[in-house]
Amino acid sequence: MKFDFYLFDLDGTLLDLGNMGTHADHILVQTLQKLNVDKIPNRTKRRELWSSGGKFQKVLSRWGINESKKFWKFYDKTDFEIRKILLKKKEILLFEDVKIVLELIRNHKANKKLAICSNTADYIVDFFLKYFKINNIFHEIFSMGGANQECAKPSPKGILTILEKFDFDPQNETAIMIGDSIHDVLAAHKAKISSCLIDRQKENETRIYKQWKIQPDYVIQRLQELIDL
Ligand SMILES: [Mg+2]
């Protein structure tokens, strides 16, 4: 456990929502329908939104959506509605090793700090952290709220905001971002901290990580392995 600061992605990393890509796409389609978009773009085109980084407005405009704020508000609302249904059906869970590992880091004698850096809406993040009783484990939380959508990973903005609050000294301290997607790895790379990809096998996206231009510094299959890094 050599790092001083541990930054975690939430969805797909701590929270098990099944197939994340399918989950996000399902919400996207419902949101586009609610916004009366004439022609719903196909799956390949829809993927462009997730890789657009801060340029999501360009993609939305192509789909005939000019008010991105309204779009994200609808998206988050739909996301929350779907998650609450999934939760009732016990289809959203914490991965089983999450609590143990987070507590081990939190209780470490070297006073390590933990944070969440998530692309999900702030009220949804808060709801799930509280629901699973892990909210008190984290010293800082960076999530999406109001007008900061352009700070979503792969932008390093969230990571940098957290590290600034921690008074991070890159000369003498180390930080790691742990996540399940390319966006987490890219954001960490841009923020010049270590990245750790959690590849829990069943998730499609992470299986293709070997083709990524920017490689994660570490790849683990269970969160428990983080303790040995
Ligand atoms: Mg994720």
Side-chain angles (χ1 to χ4, degrees), residues 54-117:
K55 297 187 185 80
F56 57 84
Q57 182 57 66
K58 251 188 172 174
V59 180
L60 292 177
S61 296
R62 278 208 294 275
W63 300 347
I65 301 163
N66 295 311
E67 290 178 77
S68 63
K69 253 192 177 173
K70 190 175 163 194
F71 169 82
W72 290 114
K73 206 174 148 190
F74 269 69
Y75 181 91
D76 293 340
K77 205 171 157 258
T78 312
D79 187 8
F80 200 26
E81 283 164 10
I82 293 176
R83 283 181 199 234
K84 281 197 277 194
I85 296 167
L86 292 174
L87 192 61
K88 248 189 203 158
K89 293 198 280 183
K90 293 202 173 13
E91 286 174 22
I92 295 189
L93 302 158
L94 274 189
F95 285 106
E96 60 173 0
D97 50 0
V98 167
K99 261 195 182 161
I100 298 168
V101 173
L102 293 180
E103 276 166 9
L104 269 171
I105 302 171
R106 175 80 198 207
N107 297 328
H108 193 276
K109 58 181 185 317
N111 196 23
K112 296 175 186 297
K113 296 274 196 280
L114 296 93
I116 291 279
C117 185

Side-chain angles (χ1 to χ4, degrees), residues 18-32:
N19 186 315
M20 272 312 299
T22 309
H23 176 76
D25 191 57
H26 180 50
I27 300 161
L28 177 56
V29 171
Q30 282 206 17
T31 308
L32 295 175

Side-chain angles (χ1 to χ4, degrees), residues 3-170:
F3 295 93
D4 302 297
F5 303 105
Y6 289 80
L7 282 62
F8 293 90
D9 166 54
L10 182 64
D11 300 333
T13 299
L14 305 182
L15 217 55
D16 183 0
L17 289 121
N19 186 315
M20 272 312 299
T22 309
H23 176 76
D25 191 57
H26 180 50
I27 300 161
L28 177 56
V29 171
Q30 282 206 17
T31 308
L32 295 175
Q33 284 166 346
K34 277 187 196 167
L35 289 167
N36 297 317
V37 168
D38 290 340
K39 198 169 164 264
I40 307 285
N42 67 30
R43 179 95 198 239
T44 312
K45 293 224 167 93
R46 294 199 297 269
R47 276 203 197 102
E48 287 174 20
L49 183 71
W50 309 122
S51 52
S52 64
K55 297 187 185 80
F56 57 84
Q57 182 57 66
K58 251 188 172 174
V59 180
L60 292 177
S61 296
R62 278 208 294 275
W63 300 347
I65 301 163
N66 295 311
E67 290 178 77
S68 63
K69 253 192 177 173
K70 190 175 163 194
F71 169 82
W72 290 114
K73 206 174 148 190
F74 269 69
Y75 181 91
D76 293 340
K77 205 171 157 258
T78 312
D79 187 8
F80 200 26
E81 283 164 10
I82 293 176
R83 283 181 199 234
K84 281 197 277 194
I85 296 167
L86 292 174
L87 192 61
K88 248 189 203 158
K89 293 198 280 183
K90 293 202 173 13
E91 286 174 22
I92 295 189
L93 302 158
L94 274 189
F95 285 106
E96 60 173 0
D97 50 0
V98 167
K99 261 195 182 161
I100 298 168
V101 173
L102 293 180
E103 276 166 9
L104 269 171
I105 302 171
R106 175 80 198 207
N107 297 328
H108 193 276
K109 58 181 185 317
N111 196 23
K112 296 175 186 297
K113 296 274 196 280
L114 296 93
I116 291 279
C117 185
S118 171
N119 282 1
T120 296
D122 47 11
Y123 61 92
I124 302 176
V125 171
D126 289 347
F127 175 89
F128 281 96
L129 293 182
K130 279 183 192 142
Y131 182 87
F132 289 111
K133 298 186 174 68
I134 53 169
N135 52 315
N136 291 327
I137 288 180
F138 300 99
H139 300 89
E140 287 294 339
I141 292 163
F142 186 92
S143 45
M144 296 297 107
N148 70 346
Q149 193 63 42
E150 71 281 357
C151 300
K153 295 168 285 185
S155 162
K157 201 67 194 278
I159 294 177
L160 295 173
T161 303
I162 292 166
L163 293 178
E164 204 180 316
K165 286 188 179 164
F166 284 151
D167 254 334
F168 176 58
D169 170 10

